[in-house]
């Protein structure tokens, strides 16, 4: 398990955390820049699933570090404990995500027109297409929106205003399987369990470990070589 708090990162995050602890509203462009650094770097702690009290301890350690105060613990002795804590917290998050994802998939599978495949994917046609269906080795052009089961958008070609083209053998298994069930011009919802998405590790901080993902996909075209 990779430890995500090397010295340079710790010092940088410490600077941001000291500022955030005082609760100022960023006003100048420089203040907003430092605030943005803090928000971005906080994502690297997402795998620890920190509670408010956990965060207070992290802030205390970061504050002592950046102000060159004597550490209250032997930091080197705690490096293995950091790794173990990260591993334990990630496992806890993964378990909750899988349970919630299974319940969501079960509910979606009960919707009119929905079907569940052998892989566990739930396929919900939203608009029928009239063109051809792609093969697993085809290149396709699509518009899509990807969300977590709570509706939070983590990726969207629609928001970017530009469709994407890729090979169906170059994406997660859920997409490879799901888009072969579609026809050009159609739109479908794919509910993808973690086993056929990003697995037990996820893509922190955006996609939690063990997360079930939901995609709404418009199949615009099959792109010929």
């Amino acid at each position: 398990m990779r430890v995500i708090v090397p010295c340079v990162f710790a010092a940088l995050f410490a600077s941001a955390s000291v500022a955030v602890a005082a609760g100022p509203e960023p006003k100048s462009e420089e203040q907003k820049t430092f605030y943005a650094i803090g928000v971005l770097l906080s994502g690297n702690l997402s795998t620890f699933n920190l509670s408010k009290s956990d965060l207070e301890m992290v802030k205390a350690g970061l504050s002592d570090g950046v102000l060159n105060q004597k550490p209250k613990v032997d930091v080197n002795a705690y490096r293995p404990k950091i790794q173990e804590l990260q591993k334990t917290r990630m496992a806890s998050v993964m378990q909750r995500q899988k349970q919630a994802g299974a319940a969501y998939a079960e509910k979606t599978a009960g919707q009119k027109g929905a079907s569940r495949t052998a892989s566990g994917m739930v396929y919900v046609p939203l608009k029928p297409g009239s063109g051809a269906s792609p093969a697993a080795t085809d290149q396709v052009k699509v518009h899509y929106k990807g969300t977590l089961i709570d509706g939070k958008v983590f990726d969207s070609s629609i928001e970017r205003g530009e469709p994407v083209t890729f090979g169906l053998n170059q994406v997660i298994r859920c997409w490879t399987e799901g888009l072969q069930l579609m026809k050009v011009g159609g739109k479908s919802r794919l509910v993808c369990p973690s086993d056929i998405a990003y697995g037990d590790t996820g893509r922190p901080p955006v996609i939690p470990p063990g997360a079930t993902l939901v995609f709404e996909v418009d199949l615009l075209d099959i792109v010929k070589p």
Side-chain angles (χ1 to χ4, degrees):
M1 180 69 64
R2 180 173 59 95
V3 179
I4 59 173
V5 283
C7 295
V8 173
F9 169 79
L12 184 56
F13 191 31
S15 306
S17 297
V18 170
V20 173
E25 182 71 23
K27 295 180 180 179
S28 70
E29 284 303 303
E30 185 175 74
Q31 289 175 338
K32 291 176 181 179
T33 301
F34 278 115
Y35 179 82
I37 290 172
V39 172
L40 290 172
L41 293 179
S42 70
N44 289 288
L45 293 173
S46 64
T47 55
F48 288 97
N49 194 31
L50 299 176
S51 66
K52 288 184 178 180
S53 60
D54 296 336
L55 182 58
E56 289 306 310
M57 282 292 100
V58 171
K59 287 180 178 179
L62 291 171
S63 179
D64 284 350
V66 76
L67 297 176
N68 294 316
Q69 301 295 315
K70 182 180 179 180
K72 296 179 176 64
V73 300
D74 182 348
V75 175
N76 286 328
Y78 275 83
R79 289 182 185 275
K81 294 180 183 293
I82 293 173
Q83 291 179 313
E84 186 59 33
L85 178 63
Q86 185 182 34
K87 182 179 179 180
T88 301
R89 291 291 179 90
M90 283 184 67
S92 177
V93 170
M94 178 189 69
Q95 186 63 28
R96 290 199 303 272
Q97 286 288 332
K98 286 194 172 188
Q99 290 175 349
Y104 182 91
E106 186 68 27
K107 181 178 179 180
T108 305
Q111 294 179 1
K112 183 178 180 180
S115 60
R116 192 196 299 264
T117 68
S119 69
M121 179 190 72
V122 178
Y123 178 80
V124 185
L126 301 176
K127 183 180 76 173
S130 58
S133 295
T137 55
D138 281 339
Q139 291 248 336
V140 294
K141 183 178 182 180
V142 304
H143 252 321
Y144 70 92
K145 178 178 71 173
T147 68
L148 304 178
I149 60 173
D150 62 2
K152 180 180 179 181
V153 178
F154 62 82
D155 192 15
S156 174
S157 69
I158 298 170
E159 291 182 2
R160 292 192 296 271
E162 185 176 356
V164 296
T165 300
F166 52 80
L168 277 187
N169 58 357
Q170 300 173 325
V171 290
I172 59 174
R173 286 171 52 203
C174 186
W175 274 56
T176 304
E177 179 182 3
L179 267 74
Q180 291 182 80
L181 301 176
M182 298 178 65
K183 293 183 178 182
V184 172
K187 180 177 183 177
S188 295
R189 179 178 297 119
L190 310 179
V191 179
C192 306
S194 61
D195 291 347
I196 53 173
Y198 291 106
D200 292 349
T201 57
R203 291 292 184 274
V206 179
I207 298 174
T212 291
L213 306 181
V214 183
F215 293 95
E216 290 192 358
V217 186
D218 290 276
L219 179 55
L220 304 178
D221 198 7
I222 301 172
V223 181
K224 301 301 180 183

